[in-house]
Amino acid sequence: MSKPPVARKVPVVVEKFGDRREDEYFWLREKSSADVIDYLNAENSYTREVLGPLKSFQETLYQDMLSRIQETDENVPYRKGDYWYYARTEAGKQYSIYCRKRGSLDAQEEVILDLNELADGKSFLGLSAFAVSPNGNILAFSLDFSGFRQYTLRFKDLETGQILDESFDRVTSVAWANDSKTVFFVTEDETTKRSDRLFRVALGFGSGTGPGNAAEELFNETDELYDIGVDATRSMGYIILTSESSETSEQYFLDANQPDGNFVSFMPRRENVMYHLDHAGEDFYITTNDRGRNFRLVAAPAGTADVSRWQEIIPHRAGVMLDGVDLFKTFFVASEKDGGLPQLRVFDMNTREPHAITFPEPAYDASVGQNAEFDTELLRFNYGSLVTPNSVFDYDVATRARTLKKQQPVLGGYNIGDYQSERIDAVAADGTKVPVSLVYKKSLKKNGPQPALLYGYGSYGLSMPLAFRPTRLALLDRGMIFAIAHVRGGGEMGKQWHDDGKMLKKRNTFTDFIAAAEQLIARGYTEPKQLAIQGGSAGGLLMGAVVNLRPDLFKAVVSQVPFVDVMNSMLDASLPLTVGEYLEWGNPNEEAAYRYMRSYSPYENLEAKAYPAMLVETSLNDSQVMYWEPAKYVARLRTLKTDSNPLLLKTNMEAGHGGASGRYDYLREIAVTYSFVLSQMGVTE
């Protein structure tokens, strides 16, 4: 077998606060350099060679996962105006086909956007905006063909099938006015990818201005901590412009029937206060954390921000996180998190009396689904768990009856009774209980430790959902336990859970994950030589940090698009996302934050010692974690590690942060990942 690639060293010295760091692989940032591409290709060749003996196993895994999926399928149609909208897939085709039917589901199908046609000859396709005008005649959609999440906005006349001449680059959000010809859209900064400018344009169809009409800039957010976005309320009453950092927000509103008017600030930004505005009837409804980190809900007459006229509907509660509110004509729904689990509470719009939608399992995932209509008595919600396939329900608010519209098909004779899910607690060093969710096949032998894969993330207040994944059966059916560590930095236990795992408390995320691994071992589920771990993006940071702290605890690591070069990235304000991230990790231009981040940054803290087997996956066109972070990390680790365990770097040269865009290509990527994990557990068939 060939020797692993060796990246040349070109030392660059970085000094900050008297701390002298040497970055010998800084040159890997030069994406246009032939040397960089050659190095990445060499690493890919080495990875293919090392995993070569697993090629037939990868094909088996791919076919196994594919056999679980209903390739020709259709999601549950939803109503908007005169039409029923849905997306479907066809066997052999990589992408979805978006369709609608007028009046009833028995009507003739109209294909409004076939992504397979648009992707012809392209190696990548990403769809972002998909917004039909209120009159149903025009589709606004945005596409990215690079993986860099750089979307171009286009318009399709659904009556003629023609793509209009108008197009706008770097668009991140879109909203229609009620006249069905005025469009508001937000664009991003070319360098930092921060969404910062709002435009208005009247398209050239029907009455009004002609094709090529220049877009009018309405707003420019100059504060680098803030991003903006635009949306229309479900009531179709207002267009809402939001400017927010991760800790502070300000919103502006415009009557959707007066698109030529001016946006008005609802309430000026106040540091560390967030609010989110929506509309129903004569009122604005506002969720805000002005009286507590977990948010409350208030109502006020539409158009006023006079706090003296606010009426509190849902008070702040220390133990319950109010994630959001969905408004309808006669009711509204509060999405909450209590005890680490999602809750849906339905309120009568007049009496404001609530009732809860109950769920049958002790651990599950539930969320408000696709609800385009404001005037309805039905609430669509999604439900699933680690063992229950994702299910779509329509809930009659008046009768409280629920109707299952569709459960995700799982082919191959899947029987929910063959699998077991559990939820246990690990205890962190400071006494905090950290939830750990598990799923495995009931036939699993329990006469000793078993192979296990422990997944983690723990950043940005994002919760890890207990959702069903048919691809995961390829692991469970081969005797593996799958577990999720709900560590601090995530949002499972409310906003405080996030606060206790960010900034100068970020190390809690890492030690919580280690505690979760130790608990699985202590309870006899697994042992270090049979324990693999996985995380992506900020979860890749988690992987890098925990293997630096406790490399003895794990057999194998899958680190996907990992944020591992923390210091160099956070000190470079020209990179996408960096400045806004100061509120999550800290500002390294402040000495206390610098030294704290320096103490855990994976790239900076690699040492000459034994490390677990490691597969590091990235994409050349990733706009969120640049490819060079994992590339530099692997290059440096090769020179330091004292073991003979495989260290592999796999770069998708044609994709972005989420990997391959085509559904079959994506399955093949998972097959490679699973083959690595399973082979490290001694399973190769």
Side-chain angles (χ1 to χ4, degrees):
M1 183 174 290
S2 303
K3 292 183 178 180
V6 176
R8 60 184 172 86
K9 295 183 178 182
V10 183
V12 173
V13 175
V14 182
E15 292 193 46
K16 189 80 171 178
F17 299 119
D19 179 35
R20 180 183 173 89
R21 298 179 293 116
E22 189 174 277
D23 186 4
E24 64 272 33
Y25 301 111
F26 187 86
W27 64 275
L28 283 169
R29 292 169 52 118
E30 297 298 324
K31 186 177 181 179
S32 61
S33 166
D35 287 347
V36 171
I37 301 302
D38 288 346
Y39 172 71
L40 296 177
N41 284 329
E43 286 283 5
N44 278 344
S45 295
Y46 176 69
T47 295
R48 284 193 296 270
E49 182 178 355
V50 172
L51 298 181
L54 300 176
K55 193 169 183 179
S56 63
F57 185 38
Q58 291 167 8
E59 182 64 24
T60 298
L61 289 167
Y62 171 76
Q63 294 296 337
D64 187 352
M65 292 185 288
L66 186 61
S67 71
R68 296 287 191 175
I69 296 171
Q70 188 163 297
E71 296 180 68
T72 298
D73 201 3
E74 181 180 304
N75 65 14
V76 182
Y78 66 91
R79 187 169 65 88
K80 183 177 182 182
D82 295 334
Y83 293 91
W84 290 90
Y85 291 85
Y86 58 97
R88 58 180 178 83
T89 55
E90 294 180 1
K93 294 186 177 181
Q94 294 270 21
Y95 299 97
S96 294
I97 302 167
Y98 290 84
C99 310
R100 70 181 183 180
K101 294 181 180 180
R102 184 168 189 143
S104 79
L105 295 176
D106 296 324
Q108 184 176 352
E109 177 181 89
E110 174 189 350
V111 174
I112 56 179
L113 199 67
D114 186 341
L115 296 185
N116 299 285
E117 293 179 358
L118 296 169
D120 186 36
K122 306 289 196 303
S123 59
F124 184 94
L125 173 63
L127 172 69
S128 181
F130 184 90
V132 178
S133 60
N135 65 6
N137 293 341
I138 304 293
L139 170 68
F141 66 99
S142 61
L143 301 175
D144 167 40
F145 293 107
S146 69
F148 202 66
R149 298 191 180 184
Q150 186 171 307
Y151 296 93
T152 297
L153 177 65
R154 301 299 305 272
F155 301 90
K156 182 177 181 179
D157 187 325
L158 297 180
E159 295 184 304
T160 66
Q162 297 300 306
I163 304 294
L164 303 183
D165 291 335
E166 289 92 344
S167 68
F168 303 96
D169 293 332
R170 298 184 173 276
V171 171
T172 58
S173 60
V174 178
W176 285 97
N178 288 341
D179 64 0
S180 291
K181 68 184 181 67
T182 304
V183 177
F184 300 89
F185 63 90
V186 168
T187 63
E188 64 183 12
D189 176 81
E190 185 174 347
T191 302
T192 65
K193 290 187 70 66
R194 183 175 65 88
S195 299
D196 60 349
R197 301 169 74 192
L198 172 71
F199 292 87
R200 170 171 53 203
V201 66
L203 298 180
F205 46 84
S207 61
T209 56
N213 179 54
E216 174 190 6
E217 183 173 346
L218 302 179
F219 185 87
N220 184 2
E221 177 56 78
T222 59
D223 191 323
E224 291 184 299
L225 287 175
Y226 289 76
D227 284 85
I228 68 172
V230 68
D231 200 3
T233 62
R234 185 183 282 112
S235 68
M236 298 177 66
Y238 291 90
I239 307 296
I240 304 294
L241 168 66
T242 302
S243 180
E244 64 181 357
S245 70
S246 63
E247 294 293 338
T248 306
S249 67
E250 181 175 9
Q251 292 190 302
Y252 306 77
F253 62 91
L254 172 66
D255 189 324
N257 290 310
Q258 298 178 10
D260 293 332
N262 297 317
F263 280 86
V264 176
S265 174
F266 175 70
M267 193 166 60
R269 65 189 65 172
R270 202 170 86 213
E271 189 172 357
N272 295 322
V273 173
M274 301 196 76
Y275 67 88
H276 299 106
L277 188 67
D278 206 344
H279 167 258
E282 302 299 320
D283 293 324
F284 278 156
Y285 287 74
I286 308 106
T287 54
T288 178
N289 64 353
D290 62 343
R291 293 187 180 176
R293 296 288 281 164
N294 282 346
F295 288 83
R296 66 182 180 129
L297 175 68
V298 300
T304 179
D306 184 353
V307 176
S308 68
R309 302 185 69 182
W310 285 14
Q311 179 185 3
E312 185 172 80
I313 301 171
I314 302 176
H316 174 267
R317 293 151 295 167
V320 181
M321 177 69 181
L322 177 58
D323 284 326
V325 174
D326 284 87
L327 303 179
F328 301 88
K329 185 175 182 179
T330 61
F331 67 95
F332 62 91
V333 184
S335 296
E336 302 173 336
K337 206 169 280 94
D338 188 1
L341 293 172
Q343 312 287 338
L344 298 178
R345 285 202 299 157
V346 181
F347 290 73
D348 182 279
M349 186 63 78
N350 293 319
T351 67
R352 291 173 179 168
E353 288 295 318
H355 71 268
I357 299 177
T358 58
F359 302 109
E361 296 175 275
Y364 58 87
D365 185 48
S367 62
V368 173
Q370 180 68 267
N371 294 273
E373 284 290 295
F374 181 66
D375 188 0
T376 178
E377 292 300 321
L378 294 177
L379 170 72
R380 179 160 292 173
F381 71 86
N382 304 315
Y383 175 83
S385 74
L386 292 176
V387 297
T388 301
N390 301 323
S391 307
V392 178
F393 288 89
D394 276 352
Y395 181 78
D396 189 308
V397 173
T399 66
R400 304 188 185 183
R402 68 190 76 189
T403 302
L404 176 63
K405 304 299 291 184
K406 182 174 183 177
Q407 186 171 83
Q408 178 184 12
V410 184
L411 307 184
Y414 175 73
N415 182 359
I416 188 174
D418 292 341
Y419 300 85
Q420 178 70 46
S421 66
E422 294 183 33
R423 195 170 178 91
I424 63 174
D425 285 330
V427 181
D430 62 2
T432 300
K433 290 184 178 180
V434 180
V436 183
S437 300
L438 301 89
V439 62
Y440 53 85
K441 201 162 186 179
K442 287 181 179 178
S443 60
L444 187 72
K445 295 177 182 178
K446 295 185 179 180
N447 57 352
Q450 303 296 318
L453 176 60
L454 177 62
Y455 188 90
Y457 186 75
S459 292
Y460 304 108
L462 298 177
S463 301
M464 290 295 97
L466 301 181
F468 182 85
R469 297 285 183 268
T471 53
R472 197 178 291 149
L473 297 175
L475 298 177
L476 305 184
D477 289 350
R478 288 172 171 82
M480 286 202 74
I481 298 169
F482 180 81
I484 302 171
H486 304 284
V487 295
R488 281 175 285 184
E492 285 86 346
M493 309 297 285
K495 188 61 179 175
Q496 192 62 48
W497 198 251
H498 177 207
D499 293 342
D500 287 342
K502 71 173 188 176
M503 304 288 279
L504 298 181
K505 296 181 179 180
K506 187 61 199 171
R507 278 182 167 271
N508 285 335
T509 302
F510 316 138
T511 53
D512 283 1
F513 188 86
I514 290 171
E518 290 175 331
Q519 184 63 214
L520 292 177
I521 294 167
R523 290 187 177 225
Y525 287 103
T526 190
E527 58 187 341
K529 67 180 181 180
Q530 295 193 84
L531 178 57
I533 58 175
Q534 181 182 4
S537 195
L541 162 64
L542 172 61
M543 297 299 101
V546 298
V547 295
N548 279 345
L549 293 170
R550 289 293 308 276
D552 59 301
L553 203 54
F554 315 109
K555 170 66 175 174
V557 181
V558 176
S559 189
Q560 298 170 303
V561 290
F563 175 45
V564 284
D565 191 15
V566 176
M567 302 314 302
N568 290 309
S569 291
M570 292 303 295
L571 283 166
D572 187 349
S574 69
L575 292 177
L577 308 180
T578 292
V579 173
E581 300 281 281
Y582 289 168
L583 299 177
E584 180 71 21
W585 315 105
N587 184 347
N589 297 298
E590 299 170 358
E591 185 169 2
Y594 173 91
R595 297 202 180 280
Y596 188 79
M597 296 161 69
R598 174 75 168 83
S599 73
Y600 67 72
S601 174
Y603 182 64
E604 308 288 342
N605 288 283
L606 291 170
E607 296 177 334
K609 60 186 178 185
Y611 282 84
M614 197 174 299
L615 173 62
V616 181
E617 300 175 333
T618 189
S619 295
L620 183 64
N621 297 325
D622 192 340
S623 63
Q624 291 174 257
V625 179
M626 298 300 180
Y627 73 89
W628 63 71
E629 293 204 30
K632 290 168 60 179
Y633 175 80
V634 168
R636 177 175 282 184
L637 183 55
R638 284 204 193 286
T639 69
L640 292 172
K641 72 192 205 75
T642 60
D643 59 87
S644 58
N645 295 323
L647 172 60
L648 307 175
L649 175 65
K650 178 176 175 288
T651 304
N652 187 324
M653 304 297 283
E654 299 177 323
H657 197 63
S661 58
R663 58 180 180 148
Y664 295 107
D665 294 340
Y666 186 63
L667 275 185
R668 290 201 177 277
E669 288 192 333
I670 297 175
V672 172
T673 303
Y674 281 4
S675 74
F676 171 79
V677 171
L678 287 163
S679 67
Q680 290 298 312
M681 303 295 119
V683 179
T684 56
E685 61 182 46

